[in-house]
Structures are given as structure tokens and as C-alpha cells.
């Protein structure tokens, strides 16, 4: 298909198409000397024939054409522009004629093309109509889709609402309907069957649901209320019979009541059901249980306490068995015989084992077994057994009450006290009776610490049921212990040394009683310190120290007095250190007293054989400090006697001293220590004697050569140290 180009006649423009375009191209090639393409000069814009010719515009056109590359090339080559213009115009005319011919030649094709274009326009018009129809159809479909979407949302909402209503109605119907299975099980199955318990749970739910519906005034509630009430009455009747039977089983002799209690705990929901639906029956059963268990506990512990007293030691302390009472004291004709040894009252021995963890929570005593074996026990052992039984049963009972009867806090404590109150009151009464005539302070103190430990155990188990009882027991025990301790203090204070028999430098039995008793109380008191106890022990220690001094004053010689004091201090310190800690007040006090009296005794025993030398050394050292040693320069005779006397008698004196010390002290270890201290002090005095004689005042004395070599003396003295 040829491309048509219309050329304006006024501008002499050519129509280029098909072969005409090729002619123009050839003509242009001929005009290019160097085969460069040159743009044709556009003369259509310059109309020389018009009357509106303006010279300025002509100048502009000329200037513009002169800047053209083709014109510049022509001018450069010297081509005549007029000739060149005519040549170009002729070429254009030829091209125009050729183009017209081509156009005429292709007229049929152009006409056919026109027809085809017209046909295409009609087809496109029909297509446009069809697409417009499609667009209209799509718009209607979109609106229909929106309508369907709205309908779907609405249907979905209605479906959800119906499902919600259906679930609620279904639940309501399920809760309202009383199944046949439930009726048969509640009426016919034993209460111990698992299915009865399960159906009882379901019945409880229906009863609660019926109550809820009745508050809402739901009409459907009246349809099931009668059936639910009859099932409830039947269930309450069967549960009551079951629990009453279990409570009555407690009353059978030799019954282990923990077994029926465990059974009741297994069916604790029964009481919960009664409490929720029949409070009168629930209260009746609880009162019956309280009455039954109160009588059982009271009977059991009353019998057990009575049988325990039959295995107690027959020999018990009385008001005359005090620390300051002499062993030789006479009693009246009708008075009961004294203990075989009053010292056992103040000695712990194996009695402290009752506080050990193994025995504290060990099995309780079985009285008839102990009677068959003819065994006897101190009061604190019986006390421990009795109260551990109370602790064990009390804790178990409190947990059962809290679990089965669903009580807590003060309600649980009140229920517990209603069961155990009578038994606890009996315990307190019996204890008050016993303590009124008890003078065994160690037994009372052990009982106090048994209670303190049991109190800690119940606190660890988080059982507050017995807290008030523990406090009540301690309020009975503490005053009695303090009273007995004060009686012992008073007995020592009022002791007359002249009524205690023959004087003896060995440890006195009263100080031994004190040492055993004090070490016992101090060792026990370390776990649960009590300031009042420490105060009383301090008073007792002061009285014992005064007593020892009063007894020592009965000896005529100072040496015997010191021996008595050292023996007693040493004995008390040894006993105390077996149980008390080294930093206890009692230990520190007697250590200081022992050291002071020991040092004084060493000076005393050295003064007899070596008193002259010791006095000379002390006198000389005092004068040396004041620079007056020359006052002794005329004592040559005295010094000679001292030097020669020591050299000749020191061995015999040391030997005699050692034997005397070992005979005087009951504790060999203490005697050895005193001998070593005395010999050490002797060497120090002799060293001081050497030092004095080495002063310028005495250097001229010839007797200095007779002094024993200090090192040699030390070697010889070591031979006299006893080895034990």
C-alpha cells in the first residue's frame, strides 16, 4: 500500500511516496558533492508573490539560509545560486509529475484501501457496541455480587445466633433432664460405689442449677424440681446412714480410729453435699462426731496416763532433797526413806537422751510391756511419751477436721477444741497436781524443753491447734522450775559448814551437786536460751562460791584452804566443760578463780623450803627499782646461807613438794599442772637470785662461785616433773 503525501502548490512542495520518494532521494544525492545528506531548503515559508512582502523578513530568511550547511557548501564551491535554484525547481517538477503518475496508477488500490478502512470502521463500531454491552453486564454482576455478599453476612450472623442459642438451650436441656441412670444409681447403688459418687456430683450440679433457674423464674424449673428433690432426700438419707455407721465404728473397743477416718476422707464430698443441701443433717453428723471423738480421746489418754504412772521411778525427790542439804541429815521416824544417793537428783546422766531427735519423736512407751519387763522410767520420759501421743493424734485430728468438715482458721481451732478440750484440761489438771509436789528440777527443765521442741515441730507442720496448750503447759512448768531453783539457792545460802561433818580438802559433795546440776542446765539451755534461767544460775553460782569460801575458812592453815578451793574449783570446771561451751559465763568464772588460787598456792608451797631466797629476791628487786641496792651490801652472811642452803636442799625440797602436791589434789592432771607451775616459778626466782648477785654490789662475794648453773638447774628440775 502506497503512502500518500499532499504537496502544497503555493510552496512547490513535492508529494513523496513509493518510487517518487526514491527519485527525490536520487536528486538529493546528485546535489551532494561528498555524499553527505543535506536538508532541503524550506522555501514554502517565503512567499515572494504576496503583497505583504517585508524586507526585514527577507533578510531574516536570507540570513537563515546562508547558515545552512548546503548553502555554505555551494557558496564555498562557487556555485551560482540562481542556476542552482532553477535546477532544484526543475527536479521538483519532475518529481511531482512522477508522483502524480504513481498516484493515478495506485488509485484502485487506494480506493480498495478506503473500502477496507470503511469496513474496519463498521466492524470496530460493532465491537464497540459489544464491549459496551459487556461493560453494562459486568456492572450488573458486580451489584449482584455485593447483594450476595450482604446476604451471606446476614446468613452467617443468623447461623451464629442460632448456634449460640442452640448451645445454651442444649446445656439447659441437659441440665434439666434427670437421666434414668442417675435415678437408678442414687436409689439402688451402695454409697461406697464409685458410680454413686459420680452421680452424686451430677445431682449436686442439677440441684444448684435448679436453684439458679428458680431465681430467674424459669418455668422449666418446675418440671424437674420434684424429681430432683426426691433424689436429694434419698441421697441425704443414704449418706447419713453411712457416716453415722462410720462414727459408731469408732466406739468399738480396740478400734484403730484412723481407718474409718481415712474412709471418711475418701468420701469427703458426702459431707460437702450435706452442707450444701441439708445443713441440719450436716450439723447433726458433726455434733455426733465431736461427741464421739471427745469421749474416745478422753478415755484413751486418761487410761494411758494412768498406766504410764505405774512405770515411773518409785524414788522421787522431795522437799528435803535440795542442793545444800547435808547427806547426814536426820529425818523423823515417820518420814519416808531418802533417795539412795541424793546426788542423782542433780545429775543428768542418760536422762538428756529424751531430747535427742531419735527419742524425742520415737515410738511412745507401751505401759503393759514395760510392766512385764519390770522397767521404770523418770517422769520426763513418761511426759515425752504422753505428749508425743498427744502431738501425733492432735495433728492428725486437726488435719482431718480441716479436710473433712471444710473448716479453717478460728473455725478449725474451735472445732478442734470442742473435741480435744476435755482431754487437754485433764492433762493440765494432772500436771498441776504432779508439779505441786515435785522437787526434781532437772525433770521439770527437761519437760520444758520437750514442750519447746514439740512446739517447734507443730509450727514446722503448720498445725496451730496445740499452740495454746503448749503455752499453758509452759506457764505451769516455768514457775515450778524457778521455785525449785530458788529453794536450792536458799538451801546453799543457809548451809552451816560446821554441820557438814568432818573437814576434807577433797571436792565437797555440795559443789559436785552444783557442778553436775549447772552443767546440765547450761547444756540443755543452749538450744532454747532463757534469760531468767541464766539469771537464776548466776545467783546459784554466787552462793556456791560463797559456800566454798565459807568451807575453806574452816581449815586452820592457808595451805589447806587453798587445796580445798583448788580441788573444788577444778572439779566444778571439769564437770562444766564436759557439757557447757568454753565461752560460757560459768566456765570463764571458775577458770579465773582456779588460776588465781593456783598461783597463790604455788607461792605458798614455795615459801616453806625457799622462802628466804624468795623474800631476798623480792626485796632486792624492789630496791633495784629504787636504786637502793647498796642497803644490802652488808648482808653477806645472809646471802651465803641462802646460796649454800639452796644448793644443799633444793633436790629434797622439790621431791617433797611434788609428793605433797600429788597427795593433796584428787585430779592428777591438775596436780601435775601445779607441780610444773611451781617448778617454773622456782626457776624464775632462782634466775632472779642470779641476776641480783650479778649486780656490782655483790660481785665481790666469793660465795657467788657456789651458785648452781641455771641451765643445769633447769635440766635437773625437768627430771622431777611427774608424767601422767
Amino acid at each position: 500500500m502506497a503512502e500518500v503525501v499532499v504537496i502544497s502548490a503555493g510552496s512547490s512542495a513535492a508529494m513523496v511516496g513509493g518510487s517518487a520518494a526514491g527519485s527525490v532521494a536520487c536528486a538529493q544525492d546528485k546535489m551532494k558533492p561528498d555524499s553527505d545528506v543535506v536538508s532541503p531548503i524550506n522555501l514554502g515559508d517565503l512567499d515572494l508573490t504576496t503583497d505583504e512582502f517585508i524586507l526585514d523578513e527577507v533578510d531574516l530568511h536570507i540570513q537563515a539560509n546562508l547558515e545552512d550547511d548546503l548553502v555554505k557548501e555551494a557558496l564555498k564551491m562557487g556555485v551560482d545560486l540562481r542556476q542552482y535554484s532553477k535546477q532544484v525547481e526543475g527536479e521538483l517538477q519532475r518529481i511531482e509529475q512522477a508522483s502524480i503518475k504513481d498516484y493515478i496508477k495506485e488509485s484502485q488500490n487506494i480506493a480498495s484501501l478506503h473500502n477496507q478502512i470503511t469496513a474496519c470502521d463498521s466492524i470496530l463500531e460493532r465491537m464497540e457496541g459489544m464491549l459496551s454491552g459487556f461493560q453494562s453486564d459486568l456492572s450488573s454482576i458486580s451489584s449482584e455480587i455485593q447483594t450476595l455478599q450482604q446476604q451471606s453476612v446476614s446468613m452467617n450472623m443468623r447461623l451464629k445466633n442460632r448456634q449460640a442459642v442452640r448451645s445454651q438451650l442444649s446445656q439447659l436441656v441437659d441440665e434439666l433432664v434427670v437421666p434414668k441412670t442417675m435415678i437408678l444409681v442414687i436409689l439402688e447403688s451402695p454409697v461406697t460405689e464409685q458410680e454413686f459418687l459420680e452421680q452424686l456430683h451430677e445431682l449436686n450440679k442439677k440441684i444448684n442449677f435448679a436453684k439458679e433457674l428458680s431465681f430467674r423464674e424459669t418455668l422449666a424449673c418446675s418440671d424437674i424440681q420434684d424429681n430432683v428433690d426426691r433424689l436429694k432426700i434419698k441421697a441425704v438419707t443414704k449418706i447419713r446412714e453411712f457416716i453415722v455407721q462410720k462414727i459408731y465404728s469408732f466406739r468399738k473397743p480396740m478400734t484403730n480410729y484412723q481407718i474409718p477416718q481415712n474412709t471418711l476422707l475418701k468420701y469427703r464430698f458426702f459431707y460437702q453435699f450435706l452442707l450444701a443441701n441439708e445443713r441440719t443433717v450436716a450439723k447433726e453428723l458433726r455434733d455426733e462426731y465431736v461427741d464421739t471423738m471427745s469421749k474416745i480421746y478422753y478415755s484413751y489418754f486418761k487410761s494411758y496416763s494412768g498406766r504410764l504412772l505405774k512405770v515411773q521411778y518409785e524414788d522421787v525427790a522431795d522437799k528435803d532433797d535440795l542442793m545444800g542439804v547435808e547427806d547426814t541429815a536426820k529425818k523423823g521416824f515417820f518420814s519416808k526413806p531418802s533417795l539412795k544417793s541424793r546426788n542423782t537428783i542433780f545429775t543428768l546422766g542418760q536422762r538428756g537422751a529424751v531430747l535427742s531427735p531419735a527419742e524425742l519423736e520415737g515410738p511412745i512407751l507401751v505401759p503393759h510391756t514395760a510392766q512385764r519387763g519390770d522397767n521404770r522410767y523418770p517422769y520426763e520420759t513418761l511426759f515425752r511419751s504422753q505428749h508425743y501421743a498427744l502431738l501425733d493424734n492432735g495433728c492428725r485430728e486437726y488435719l482431718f477436721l480441716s479436710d473433712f468438715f471444710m473448716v479453717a482458721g478460728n473455725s478449725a481451732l474451735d472445732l478442734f477444741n470442742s473435741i480435744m478440750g476435755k482431754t487437754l484440761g485433764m492433762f493440765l489438771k494432772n500436771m498441776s497436781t504432779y508439779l505441786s509436789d515435785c522437787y526434781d528440777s532437772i525433770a521439770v527443765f527437761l519437760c520444758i524443753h520437750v514442750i519447746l521442741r514439740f512446739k517447734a515441730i507443730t509450727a514446722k507442720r503448720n498445725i496451730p491447734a496445740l499452740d495454746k496448750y503448749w503455752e499453758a503447759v509452759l506457764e505451769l512448768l516455768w514457775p515450778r522450775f524457778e521455785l525449785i531453783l530458788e529453794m536450792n539457792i536458799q538451801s546453799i545460802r543457809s548451809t552451816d559448814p560446821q554441820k557438814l561433818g568432818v573437814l576434807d580438802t577433797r571436792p565437797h559433795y555440795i559443789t559436785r551437786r552444783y557442778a553436775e546440776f549447772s552443767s546440765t542446765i547450761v547444756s540443755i539451755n543452749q538450744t532454747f536460751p532463757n534469760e531468767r534461767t541464766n539469771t537464776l544460775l548466776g545467783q546459784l553460782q554466787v552462793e556456791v562460791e560463797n559456800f566454798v569460801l565459807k568451807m575453806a575458812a574452816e581449815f586452820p592453815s592457808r595451805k589447806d584452804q587453798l587445796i580445798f578451793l583448788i580441788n573444788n574449783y577444778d572439779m566444778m570446771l571439769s564437770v562444766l566443760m564436759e557439757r557447757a561451751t568454753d565461752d560460757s559465763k560459768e566456765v570463764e568464772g571458775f577458770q579465773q578463780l582456779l588460776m588465781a588460787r593456783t598461783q597463790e598456792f604455788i607461792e605458798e608451797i614455795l615459801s616453806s623450803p625457799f622462802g628466804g631466797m624468795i623474800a631476798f629476791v623480792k626485796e632486792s628487786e624492789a630496791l633495784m627499782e629504787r636504786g637502793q641496792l647498796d642497803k644490802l651490801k652488808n648482808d653477806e652472811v645472809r646471802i651465803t646461807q641462802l646460796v649454800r642452803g639452796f644448793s644443799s636442799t633444793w633436790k629434797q625440797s622439790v621431791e617433797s613438794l611434788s609428793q605433797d602436791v600429788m597427795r593433796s589434789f584428787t585430779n592428777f592432771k591438775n596436780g601435775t599442772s601445779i607441780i610444773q607451775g611451781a617448778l617454773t616459778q622456782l626457776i624464775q626466782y632462782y634466775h632472779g637470785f642470779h641476776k641480783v648477785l650479778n649486780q656490782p654490789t655483790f660481785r665481790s662475794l666469793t660465795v657467788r662461785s657456789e651458785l648452781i648453773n641455771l641451765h643445769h638447774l633447769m635440766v635437773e628440775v625437768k627430771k622431777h616433773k611427774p608424767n601422767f
Side-chain angles (χ1 to χ4, degrees), residues 421-554:
K422 190 176 180 182
T423 301
L424 299 179
M426 177 194 67
F427 274 11
L428 292 174
K429 182 179 179 181
N430 292 344
M431 194 177 307
S432 178
T433 303
Y434 170 80
L435 291 175
S436 64
D437 195 35
C438 175
Y439 297 90
D440 188 352
S441 55
I442 291 180
V444 176
F445 198 63
L446 287 172
C447 290
I448 290 173
H449 280 264
V450 166
I451 294 299
L452 292 175
R453 284 161 172 78
F454 282 166
K455 186 178 179 182
I457 290 173
T458 54
K460 185 178 181 180
R461 296 181 183 180
N462 197 23
I463 305 294
L466 293 170
D467 288 353
K468 290 186 177 179
Y469 173 74
W470 300 140
E471 294 298 331
V473 174
L474 291 175
E475 288 177 1
L476 289 175
L477 293 172
W478 274 118
R480 188 62 188 179
F481 172 73
E482 292 174 359
L483 175 62
I484 299 173
L485 201 52
E486 289 172 353
M487 292 173 66
N488 281 284
I489 293 172
Q490 182 60 37
S491 69
I492 295 177
R493 184 182 296 127
S494 59
T495 298
D496 186 358
Q498 296 181 354
K499 296 181 180 180
L500 297 181
V502 181
L503 292 175
D504 192 346
T505 57
R506 292 175 296 181
H508 200 274
Y509 57 83
I510 291 181
T511 59
R512 179 168 289 279
R513 291 175 188 172
Y514 162 77
E516 294 287 350
F517 177 78
S518 182
S519 64
T520 297
I521 301 302
V522 169
S523 62
I524 296 174
N525 198 49
Q526 288 173 357
T527 306
F528 295 93
N530 179 268
E531 190 59 34
R532 175 62 178 161
T533 302
N534 293 332
T535 302
L536 291 172
L537 284 178
Q539 296 176 7
L540 181 61
Q541 181 179 349
V542 171
E543 294 301 329
V544 170
E545 291 175 3
N546 292 336
F547 165 76
V548 173
L549 293 176
K550 286 193 296 183
M551 285 296 300
E554 295 295 317

Side-chain angles (χ1 to χ4, degrees), residues 145-162:
I145 289 174
Q146 291 179 353
T147 303
L148 290 175
Q149 185 177 7
Q150 294 175 354
Q151 292 177 356
S152 175
V153 171
S154 176
M155 291 175 67
N156 187 33
M157 182 62 68
R158 290 198 297 272
L159 176 62
K160 289 182 178 179
N161 292 337
R162 290 179 180 179

Side-chain angles (χ1 to χ4, degrees), residues 150-207:
Q150 294 175 354
Q151 292 177 356
S152 175
V153 171
S154 176
M155 291 175 67
N156 187 33
M157 182 62 68
R158 290 198 297 272
L159 176 62
K160 289 182 178 179
N161 292 337
R162 290 179 180 179
Q163 288 177 344
V165 172
R166 179 182 178 182
S167 63
Q168 293 184 1
L169 288 176
S170 176
Q171 182 180 0
L172 177 64
V173 172
D174 291 341
E175 295 290 348
L176 287 173
V177 172
V178 180
K180 184 177 180 180
T181 304
M182 177 184 292
I183 298 173
L184 292 175
V185 170
I186 296 295
L187 294 178
E188 299 178 3
S189 295
V191 295
T192 55
E193 295 291 334
Q194 180 64 26
E195 58 180 355
F196 180 86
L197 185 61
E198 294 173 355
Q199 293 301 326
L200 188 66
H201 277 279
E202 295 299 324
L203 176 61
N204 190 53
K205 292 180 182 178
K206 292 187 181 299
I207 293 172

Side-chain angles (χ1 to χ4, degrees), residues 642-658:
L642 291 176
V643 172
R644 292 174 178 172
F646 182 86
S647 301
S648 60
T649 63
W650 76 268
K651 289 185 179 181
Q652 295 83 355
S653 298
V654 167
E655 184 67 27
S656 175
L657 180 148
S658 299

Side-chain angles (χ1 to χ4, degrees), residues 503-671:
L503 292 175
D504 192 346
T505 57
R506 292 175 296 181
H508 200 274
Y509 57 83
I510 291 181
T511 59
R512 179 168 289 279
R513 291 175 188 172
Y514 162 77
E516 294 287 350
F517 177 78
S518 182
S519 64
T520 297
I521 301 302
V522 169
S523 62
I524 296 174
N525 198 49
Q526 288 173 357
T527 306
F528 295 93
N530 179 268
E531 190 59 34
R532 175 62 178 161
T533 302
N534 293 332
T535 302
L536 291 172
L537 284 178
Q539 296 176 7
L540 181 61
Q541 181 179 349
V542 171
E543 294 301 329
V544 170
E545 291 175 3
N546 292 336
F547 165 76
V548 173
L549 293 176
K550 286 193 296 183
M551 285 296 300
E554 295 295 317
F555 292 92
S557 68
R558 183 55 181 170
K559 178 181 177 183
D560 289 339
Q561 292 178 0
L562 292 173
I563 293 174
F564 177 81
L565 292 174
I566 292 172
N567 275 330
N568 281 274
Y569 291 153
D570 177 64
M571 181 273 298
M572 290 188 285
L573 185 61
S574 299
V575 174
L576 282 170
M577 292 183 67
E578 289 178 2
R579 292 192 176 94
T581 58
D582 293 342
D583 59 349
S584 66
K585 183 173 63 175
E586 292 78 8
V587 171
E588 291 180 353
F590 284 114
Q591 281 179 339
Q592 293 175 1
L593 290 173
L594 179 61
M595 290 176 61
R597 299 290 80 80
T598 299
Q599 188 61 37
E600 185 179 352
F601 177 75
I602 289 174
E603 295 290 337
E604 183 69 25
I605 60 176
L606 290 177
S607 64
S608 178
F610 308 108
M613 181 190 69
I614 294 173
F616 178 77
V617 170
K618 291 181 178 179
E619 181 183 1
S620 300
E621 289 178 345
L623 292 173
M624 285 172 60
E625 290 180 0
R626 297 194 299 268
Q628 299 174 356
L629 190 59
D630 291 341
K631 291 183 178 181
L632 299 177
K633 64 181 179 178
N634 297 323
D635 288 350
E636 181 177 355
V637 175
R638 177 186 175 189
I639 295 172
T640 302
Q641 291 176 351
L642 291 176
V643 172
R644 292 174 178 172
F646 182 86
S647 301
S648 60
T649 63
W650 76 268
K651 289 185 179 181
Q652 295 83 355
S653 298
V654 167
E655 184 67 27
S656 175
L657 180 148
S658 299
Q659 294 176 0
D660 186 26
V661 169
M662 297 310 299
R663 284 194 303 267
S664 300
F665 297 101
T666 55
N667 185 351
F668 290 136
K669 183 178 180 181
N670 185 42

